[in-house]
């Protein structure tokens, strides 16, 4: 190593998807890996003109800038908006169009006479695997930051093989699908993008899974005590074809990576919870992009009212097509007449996004009706709160299945996956809520398991924990190429 390189600081370039779940988690991970400022990190923010995806909040940038961490943000110029309508295909094409911009930025960063950085890693989103070509051209190792769990990672790694083994559509398949580390999976709980082989979304899922195999490493937002079987299957290369001897990239389970919102104790949701008994309230929230049809909202309301349990319900509505996020709901329009008045003594309807992490950590919360997005699932387990699974899109079906059957910290809602437009009836909502809140043995087991994982998740990130050690190994691997 010459003296000039010896003086350079190890640089990491992050490329997250500009959607709340992916972007916030990636930024938080950047803060964690750079907590002692060993790296100079640049987070590339892709075009703010992506429909329905607002730019990174100024407050987030300001808080990081003022923290003293060597993390900076660079906005890339806009690119042509893709015409694909499937979300996963749209995002994959959208990211690929940024390749020349990412390459140009890294070249300028390293060639500047004033630069004190040598890029030792390109860390990309799970939908940005095509960026490995940029890394290869520049001689920079490419890593994937996988924002979901090891079960989905195992499936995606296995999907190129599964694609050749199963000729029919997964939605038409009889029996089960064997996924390494997860066992026999009902075909209808496979991620929605892979249900139709002729769809562009399916093709991209297979392609990303194939490219994962050739990354320098995969950084996963999970922890060993949560998904031991899936992580072991990946590390042993059980997703590979029988005639293959590799490669198996190293996997670094560094989770749970959680984004804790700045808590406002005076928020109406928290103020209301302060007056409720411990463990008595069921919280309903369906994610940053989650909004249910008005007819379904009415069924939920009826089921909640019949259940007799206290509830806090974050309701949002979808008023525009495409990728735009939901908007604040009007309770008078979507709820049954008189519902709010009849349940005012035991329930609160909040017609907007709620401070989820603060709510889940409140002692009054006893259960979480969730869409099973991975970030929300980790937040719930961090607080020891069991879940009632209500998947809506993407990989949430697989997450819900794993949470209920493999992990054991959730109760399954009976959702008609063959007809996603079919509403879940009030009777099923009532049954699910009663079970979640401990009225059945299944609910009691889920509550006990959630409490166990509360301790395990904290132990993982503490000094000596499995995720802390994985983070140490990852940092050493980054620095080894300096």
């Amino acid at each position: 190593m010459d003296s000039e390189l010896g003086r350079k600081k190890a640089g990491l370039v992050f490329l997250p998807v500009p959607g709340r779940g992916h972007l916030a988690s990636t930024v938080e991970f950047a803060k964690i890996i750079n907590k002692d400022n060993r790296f100079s990190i640049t987070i590339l923010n892709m075009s703010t003109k992506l429909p329905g995806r607002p730019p990174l909040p100024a407050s987030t940038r300001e808080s990081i800038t003022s923290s003293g961490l060597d993390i900076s943000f660079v906005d890339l110029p806009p690119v042509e908006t893709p015409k694909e309508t499937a979300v996963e295909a749209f995002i994959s094409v959208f990211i690929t169009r940024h390749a020349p911009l990412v390459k140009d930025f890294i070249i300028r960063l390293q060639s500047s006479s004033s630069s004190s950085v040598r890029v030792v890693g390109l860390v990309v989103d799970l939908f940005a695997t095509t960026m490995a070509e940029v890394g290869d051209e520049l001689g920079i190792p490419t890593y994937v930051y996988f924002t979901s769990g090891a079960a989905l990672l195992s499936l995606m790694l296995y999907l190129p093989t599964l694609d050749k083994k199963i000729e029919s559509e997964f939605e038409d398949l009889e029996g089960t699908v064997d996924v390494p580390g997860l066992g026999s999976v009902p075909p209808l709980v496979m991620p929605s993008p892979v249900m139709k082989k002729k769809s562009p979304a399916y093709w991209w899922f297979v392609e990303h899974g194939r490219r994962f195999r050739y990354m320098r490493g995969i950084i996963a937002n999970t922890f060993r005590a949560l998904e031991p079987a899936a992580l072991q299957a990946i590390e042993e290369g059980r997703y590979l074809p029988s005639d293959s001897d590799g490669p198996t990239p190293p996997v670094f389970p560094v989770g749970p990576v959680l984004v804790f919102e700045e808590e406002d104790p005076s928020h109406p949701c928290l103020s209301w919870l302060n007056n409720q008994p411990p463990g008595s309230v069921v919280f309903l929230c369906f994610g940053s992009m989650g909004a249910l049809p008005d007819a379904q909202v009415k069924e939920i309301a009826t089921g909640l009212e019949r259940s007799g349990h206290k509830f806090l319900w974050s309701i949002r509505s979808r008023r525009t097509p495409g990728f735009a996020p939901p908007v604040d709901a009007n309770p008078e329009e979507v709820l049954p007449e008189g519902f709010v008045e009849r349940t005012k003594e035991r329930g609160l309807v909040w017609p907007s996004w709620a401070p989820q992490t603060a709510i889940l950590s409140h002692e009054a919360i006893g259960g979480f009706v969730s869409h099973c997005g991975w970030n929300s699932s980790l937040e719930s387990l961090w607080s020891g709160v069991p879940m009632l699974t209500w998947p809506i899109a993407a990989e949430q079906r697989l997450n819900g299945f794993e949470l209920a059957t493999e992990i054991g910290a959730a109760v399954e809602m009976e959702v008609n996956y063959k007809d996603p437009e079919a509403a879940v009836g009030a009777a099923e909502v009532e049954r699910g809520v009663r079970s979640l809140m401990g009225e059945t043995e299944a609910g009691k087991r889920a509550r006990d398991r959630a409490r166990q994982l509360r301790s395990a998740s904290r132990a993982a990130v503490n000094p000596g924990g499995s995720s802390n050690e994985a983070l140490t190994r990852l940092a050493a691997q980054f620095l080894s190429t300096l």
Side-chain angles (χ1 to χ4, degrees):
M1 181 187 301
D2 61 37
S3 58
E4 181 182 353
L5 289 180
R7 293 193 301 270
K8 287 185 177 288
K9 190 172 184 179
L12 297 173
V13 175
F14 281 66
L15 186 70
V17 163
R20 186 181 185 277
H22 291 244
L23 182 58
S25 180
T26 304
V27 171
E28 189 63 28
F29 171 69
K31 291 162 58 179
I32 293 171
I33 191 69
N34 208 31
K35 60 185 177 182
D36 54 6
N37 265 340
R38 279 186 291 178
F39 301 98
S40 178
I41 295 179
T42 303
I43 298 174
L44 299 181
N45 196 34
M46 286 183 280
S47 171
T48 57
K49 292 187 178 181
L50 180 61
R53 297 297 190 271
L56 190 69
S59 59
T60 300
R61 299 193 187 207
E62 291 168 1
S63 67
I64 292 177
T65 301
S66 62
S67 70
L69 294 176
D70 190 354
I71 299 176
S72 59
F73 297 88
V74 171
D75 292 326
L76 295 175
V79 298
E80 182 182 357
T81 302
K83 294 182 172 137
E84 280 76 5
T85 56
V87 174
E88 295 79 10
F90 181 100
I91 291 174
S92 299
V93 173
F94 175 77
I95 293 172
T96 300
R97 289 182 177 175
H98 284 80
L101 301 174
V102 174
K103 180 180 177 180
D104 179 65
F105 169 79
I106 295 175
I107 290 174
R108 286 188 287 106
L109 175 65
Q110 297 202 116
S111 62
S112 170
S113 59
S114 60
S115 176
S116 60
V117 173
R118 180 187 178 191
V119 179
V120 298
L122 175 59
V123 183
V124 302
D125 188 87
L126 69 96
F127 291 116
T129 60
T130 53
M131 287 295 163
E133 296 173 6
V134 172
D136 290 343
E137 286 183 41
L138 301 178
I140 297 170
T142 303
Y143 297 76
V144 167
Y145 178 62
F146 198 82
T147 51
S148 195
L152 178 64
L153 175 57
S154 180
L155 172 63
M156 291 187 71
L157 285 164
Y158 188 49
L159 199 54
T161 300
L162 204 58
D163 178 58
K164 296 176 182 178
K165 290 177 63 176
I166 298 178
E167 296 182 358
S168 67
E169 299 283 16
F170 287 112
E171 63 182 358
D172 299 327
L173 187 66
E174 295 183 2
T176 58
V177 179
D178 288 330
V179 177
L182 192 57
S184 299
V185 176
L188 289 177
V189 305
M190 298 280 278
S192 54
V194 308
M195 298 305 288
K196 296 184 182 297
K197 286 192 171 187
K198 294 181 180 179
S199 72
Y202 176 85
W203 183 90
W204 274 108
F205 253 63
V206 174
E207 183 65 9
H208 290 312
R210 183 185 68 80
R211 288 171 178 263
F212 286 164
R213 300 177 180 181
Y214 302 96
M215 296 294 170
R216 185 63 62 90
I218 301 174
I219 307 159
N221 187 11
T222 187
F223 56 101
R224 197 161 294 277
L226 180 64
E227 300 183 282
L231 287 169
Q232 184 176 352
I234 296 168
E235 291 162 349
E236 292 176 353
R238 276 188 262 148
Y239 60 85
L240 292 165
S242 57
D243 58 351
S244 173
D245 58 359
T248 296
V251 178
F252 302 91
V254 299
V257 177
L258 303 172
V259 181
F260 294 100
E261 303 149 327
E262 186 174 344
E263 188 171 327
D264 176 10
S266 64
H267 191 284
C269 289
L270 300 178
S271 297
W272 183 82
L273 286 172
N274 290 338
N275 295 317
Q276 310 307 319
S280 66
V281 178
V282 58
F283 175 47
L284 299 90
C285 186
F286 297 95
S288 60
M289 294 295 292
L292 299 173
D294 291 355
Q296 180 64 83
V297 170
K298 288 180 170 59
E299 293 292 332
I300 294 175
T302 302
L304 278 177
E305 188 170 0
R306 291 176 182 171
S307 77
H309 284 282
K310 292 178 176 290
F311 64 87
L312 170 57
W313 185 7
S314 170
I315 299 183
R316 306 177 80 207
S317 299
R318 188 169 295 284
R319 292 288 180 261
T320 53
F323 304 135
V327 296
D328 291 355
N330 183 340
E332 293 182 359
E333 292 181 359
V334 299
L335 291 171
E337 185 176 354
F339 172 79
V340 173
E341 180 65 25
R342 291 193 304 271
T343 60
K344 65 181 180 180
E345 297 301 323
R346 62 180 177 88
L348 175 64
V349 174
W350 183 249
S352 184
W353 176 252
Q356 182 167 292
T357 53
I359 288 172
L360 287 171
S361 64
H362 198 286
E363 65 174 3
I365 297 298
F368 182 25
V369 180
S370 172
H371 68 305
C372 302
W374 193 246
N375 289 333
S376 292
S377 301
L378 291 177
E379 290 168 9
S380 195
L381 296 177
W382 178 264
S383 295
V385 176
M387 286 162 274
L388 178 62
T389 65
W390 197 326
I392 296 177
E395 89 292 0
Q396 294 160 15
R397 296 178 182 181
L398 187 70
N399 292 345
F401 173 79
E402 181 191 19
L403 286 163
T405 62
E406 181 71 16
I407 294 173
V411 175
E412 282 189 287
M413 178 82 82
E414 292 186 11
V415 178
N416 186 352
Y417 293 134
K418 286 187 177 181
D419 182 8
E421 300 301 319
V424 176
E428 174 59 17
V429 174
E430 178 186 359
R431 182 208 64 82
V433 169
R434 287 182 179 276
S435 179
L436 173 66
M437 298 303 285
E439 293 189 23
T440 66
E441 288 302 316
K444 292 174 183 176
R445 287 194 297 270
R447 297 169 84 79
D448 289 342
R449 181 61 174 147
R451 281 193 288 266
Q452 293 171 4
L453 289 170
R454 179 183 187 278
S455 299
S457 61
R458 285 162 165 73
V461 298
N462 285 336
S466 62
S467 296
N468 188 273
E469 291 182 349
L471 196 68
T472 300
R473 288 189 289 110
L474 175 62
Q477 183 164 309
F478 282 145
L479 294 169
S480 68
T481 59
L482 186 61

